[in-house]
Amino acid sequence: MPGNRWAAAALLALSLPLLAPASVLTPPVAAATAASVPLEEINATATQVAFGLRRPTAIAAPDDGTGRLFITEKRGTVRVYHPDTGLAQSPLIDITASIDESGNERGLLGIALSPDFATSQDLYLAYTALPDGAVTLARYRLDDASLEPLLSQEHAENSNHNGGQIAFGADGNLYMSIGDGGGSGDPFKTGQRLDTLLGKIVRIDVSRSCGDLAYCIPKDNPYVGVDGEDEIWMWGGRNPWRFSVDHADGSMWIADVGQGRWEEVNHVKTGRQAGANLGWSCYEGLEVFDQAQCRTGATYTKPVFTYSPHTGGCAVIGGQVYRGKQFADLVGGTYIAADYCYMTVWALRDNGTGTYTAAELGQMPTQVTAFGSTPEGELYVVNDLPGGLHRISFERAAPTCRIKAVTKTWGTGLTVDLTITNTGSAPINGWTLRYPLARGQSITSDWNTDLTQSGDMVSAVNATHNGSIAPGQSVTMGYLASHTGDPALPSRFTLNRDTCSVTR
């Protein structure tokens, strides 16, 4: 795009019913190595372990030997769960008198435990405050139940896009996301402005105060002493309310909810974070959204993964890199995320070459709002309605389908033949093959299937003569497509929502 360039590899107009921040836990430091089991051979499952939560929004776990999980609820309470005793009825924290929970996306949104929590009993809360919904960061002291606001960003015009994710980095500083001010289409043009904290990830030192501030500005923040708000660490976010810090390598995984065409995940490694511009609202995903917001000569950080709502999804629910021990051989070093509407478990694996492998690992409960982990790195999720806590497990299972693709390309056209093999032990009676097309591809005709294209996503339903596939047997379908320069094959396939292995 003239005047713009992507940095080297480093939601949606409808409002999500209560977007909440991802886990703010500090995973155990582990070697930054990844499991080698192919993602298509891994299934994720969720086991509900607690009921009765009221619109839970975030999870944190104190590393104090108690085995507890702290779970925030939208109304302004923090509940305690223990594997042996279950969910405590009385809240540990109640700041409902300070919370503006009007609208679906306002409320108590984030929690982070001080690095010295075991001795200080200090924690940090992100919420929308009365009377006007200002996005607020506060310190809460468990010993005397005091709430001390530290930072506040006005956010009165719209109730959505509050961000509210908070997490401590390996540097001891506190990071916080704030949405673009809400509404649709970045109406205040905040994403590409440096004179506001809206649409940003901020970085501050909460261990001390400086002058009139209840915190200090790290001297290496990118806009200290130049034009821009000193607290800004990254910018160009729409609603980056779910991010996590991988303490194995210091990188940040940022899930930014899209306007309506693309959900995105950014992986920003150390050395590339300070001043990183995530692109909104010049870009949504990989596509220009508003050319007027694009800056000549600007460098934008390219997302490592995008998907469209045409998958059935509506809002990316960012998670974290798995650093636990129980499933390290399967998903060690793998980033796990989800979608609020489609319930998909997304897995992303950094190949170490500037490329990433993506796959669907199964389904989560309905309306997942946040991931969290124990101090040992084992994963949990909470879901919005009906309000539960779920433990995440992974297992290895051979794919039940295999795809072999044969393609021919010329000029601006290509043909693709896809052979679908049933590698499972049971017959498949009726199938739907789903896959994303590369950008700029459009299908013009197909054979041996009833095929529809919606945005980038293709759904190919069996024809009347090939709907049954016996174990070990195959059927072939195909399509003719045009392209605008990228004739690449689809990057992933699911058959009846089971991920298929691919032979190219």
Side-chain angles (χ1 to χ4, degrees):
M1 187 59 58
N4 308 294
R5 63 184 185 274
W6 287 110
L11 240 265
L12 209 60
L14 65 92
S15 289
L16 173 65
L18 184 60
L19 293 180
S23 168
V24 293
L25 307 178
T26 301
V29 175
T33 57
S36 60
V37 176
L39 292 179
E40 62 267 21
E41 297 182 15
I42 302 169
N43 290 334
T45 58
T47 302
Q48 187 159 1
V49 296
F51 301 78
L53 290 160
R54 295 180 60 178
R55 304 200 73 179
T57 56
I59 309 170
D63 190 7
D64 58 2
T66 63
R68 299 175 294 172
L69 295 179
F70 295 168
I71 304 168
T72 60
E73 296 177 308
K74 180 182 186 289
R75 58 182 175 167
T77 51
V78 178
R79 306 277 294 278
V80 176
Y81 167 81
H82 191 279
D84 295 336
T85 57
L87 183 67
Q89 293 304 305
S90 298
L92 175 71
I93 297 170
D94 186 340
I95 60 166
T96 53
S98 300
I99 299 294
D100 180 351
E101 60 168 328
S102 62
N104 271 332
E105 297 184 32
R106 284 177 172 161
L108 176 54
L109 301 176
I111 182 171
L113 305 180
S114 175
D116 65 350
F117 174 80
T119 55
S120 71
Q121 296 293 286
D122 289 347
L123 52 83
Y124 295 83
L125 300 172
Y127 56 92
T128 50
L130 291 171
D132 58 1
V135 178
T136 302
L137 171 69
R139 179 187 291 115
Y140 186 91
R141 300 185 185 276
L142 275 179
D143 55 3
D144 62 6
S146 63
L147 185 70
E148 177 192 3
L150 304 178
L151 180 151
S152 180
Q153 168 61 52
E154 293 182 0
H155 199 297
E157 290 86 351
N158 300 292
S159 65
N160 61 338
H161 300 183
N162 300 288
Q165 161 72 359
I166 49 178
F168 280 95
D171 56 8
N173 292 311
L174 185 65
Y175 296 76
M176 177 182 182
S177 67
I178 303 176
D180 66 1
S184 176
D186 195 10
F188 310 111
K189 310 305 179 189
T190 61
Q192 293 300 304
R193 286 168 44 193
L194 290 172
D195 61 346
T196 175
L197 298 183
L198 295 172
K200 310 299 187 292
I201 292 177
V202 304
R203 175 182 183 246
I204 59 176
D205 179 359
V206 295
S207 68
R208 55 199 178 99
S209 60
C210 289
D212 295 334
L213 295 176
Y215 53 87
C216 292
I217 305 291
K219 293 181 179 179
D220 57 346
N221 273 12
Y223 300 106
V224 172
V226 299
D227 291 340
E229 295 292 318
D230 290 349
E231 292 87 350
I232 294 173
W233 183 242
M234 298 184 193
W235 53 313
R238 181 176 182 269
N239 191 24
W241 55 270
R242 189 61 50 80
F243 68 84
S244 60
V245 179
D246 182 1
H247 285 253
D249 59 13
S251 65
M252 294 181 69
W253 292 81
I254 305 158
D256 202 1
V257 181
Q259 174 67 33
R261 288 183 58 82
W262 298 103
E263 306 297 308
E264 69 178 71
V265 174
N266 300 271
H267 183 206
V268 190
K269 299 183 179 181
T270 55
R272 298 180 179 178
Q273 295 174 7
N277 188 336
L278 303 180
W280 176 256
S281 57
C282 168
Y283 281 93
E284 181 191 8
L286 296 166
E287 294 183 352
V288 170
F289 176 81
D290 182 356
Q291 182 64 55
Q293 292 301 304
C294 299
R295 296 163 171 255
T296 300
T299 297
Y300 299 99
T301 297
K302 181 180 179 180
V304 300
F305 177 65
T306 63
Y307 69 93
S308 77
H310 297 290
T311 61
C314 69
V316 61
I317 306 298
Q320 57 187 237
V321 175
Y322 180 84
R323 294 295 181 190
K325 294 182 178 179
Q326 186 174 359
F327 307 106
D329 58 331
L330 298 177
V331 290
T334 302
Y335 177 73
I336 306 296
D339 183 89
Y340 182 85
C341 292
Y342 196 46
M343 301 172 288
T344 310
V345 182
W346 290 113
L348 299 179
R349 187 170 284 171
D350 184 352
N351 296 321
T353 59
T355 62
Y356 293 76
T357 301
E360 298 179 38
L361 301 191
Q363 292 182 264
M364 288 287 98
T366 59
Q367 299 180 334
V368 163
T369 54
F371 282 75
S373 69
T374 65
E376 295 75 31
E378 304 305 328
L379 295 180
Y380 285 79
V381 295
V382 287
N383 63 328
D384 188 5
L385 298 170
L389 174 70
H390 310 257
R391 185 178 64 249
I392 305 305
S393 301
F394 301 91
E395 63 181 359
R396 186 168 187 174
T400 59
C401 50
R402 182 176 65 248
I403 304 297
K404 181 178 181 180
V406 177
T407 185
K408 296 180 180 179
T409 62
W410 66 92
T412 59
L414 73 156
T415 60
V416 179
D417 285 292
L418 298 174
T419 299
I420 307 167
T421 300
N422 179 357
T423 58
S425 59
I428 298 173
N429 294 310
W431 50 265
T432 298
L433 185 71
R434 291 174 57 85
Y435 50 91
L437 295 177
R439 294 177 65 221
Q441 291 188 13
S442 179
I443 292 178
T444 56
S445 63
D446 59 273
W447 49 92
N448 289 335
T449 186
D450 182 8
L451 184 150
T452 57
Q453 179 179 349
S454 180
D456 67 319
M457 288 302 299
V458 172
S459 294
V461 180
N462 63 271
T464 55
H465 65 278
N466 62 5
S468 180
I469 313 176
Q473 298 301 303
S474 304
V475 299
T476 299
M477 51 138 310
Y479 59 90
L480 169 69
S482 61
H483 66 85
T484 58
D486 185 356
L489 288 167
S491 57
R492 60 184 187 272
F493 297 86
T494 62
L495 188 70
N496 296 348
R497 297 204 68 172
D498 287 337
T499 298
C500 301
S501 61
V502 180
T503 302
R504 299 186 185 276

